[in-house]
Amino acid sequence: RNSFKNLINLKILNLEENCIFILEKGLFQTNNKLVHLNLARNVLKIIKLVNFNNLFHLKSLNISYNLISDINYVGHFSS
């Protein structure tokens, strides 16, 4: 969970082909300057959009070539 905690100015993160099967809640919590996030070619099955709530500058999210069967919208973009 704390893997990227101190990288507060991170803008590009490429996690392609890392055998990631779950994104822990709060993983990108301190990375609100992230612009490009590549999660392609992993083994993700569920995407919880709440994990991306604070990524206000995110312009591209690549989740292609995963095993996604569910995208959970709960708690995302609440007003």
Side-chain angles (χ1 to χ4, degrees), residues 24-39:
E24 292 183 18
K25 185 178 179 181
L27 181 62
F28 306 113
Q29 185 174 356
T30 60
N31 308 112
N32 60 357
K33 294 182 182 177
L34 202 57
V35 176
H36 302 285
L37 177 57
N38 185 358
L39 295 167

Side-chain angles (χ1 to χ4, degrees), residues 7-72:
L7 302 174
I8 59 173
N9 292 314
L10 187 66
K11 293 185 179 181
I12 299 171
L13 182 57
N14 184 358
L15 296 173
E16 185 172 358
E17 291 190 71
N18 276 284
C19 297
I20 298 169
F21 60 92
I22 190 168
L23 296 176
E24 292 183 18
K25 185 178 179 181
L27 181 62
F28 306 113
Q29 185 174 356
T30 60
N31 308 112
N32 60 357
K33 294 182 182 177
L34 202 57
V35 176
H36 302 285
L37 177 57
N38 185 358
L39 295 167
R41 299 183 187 277
N42 283 289
V43 287
L44 292 168
K45 292 182 181 179
I46 299 173
I47 298 291
K48 293 183 180 181
L49 294 182
V50 70
N51 286 328
F52 309 104
N53 269 353
N54 69 318
L55 301 181
F56 303 112
H57 301 286
L58 193 66
K59 295 195 186 297
S60 69
L61 172 63
N62 187 350
I63 55 173
S64 62
Y65 298 100
N66 276 283
L67 303 173
I68 298 170
S69 61
D70 185 30
I71 297 178
N72 185 326

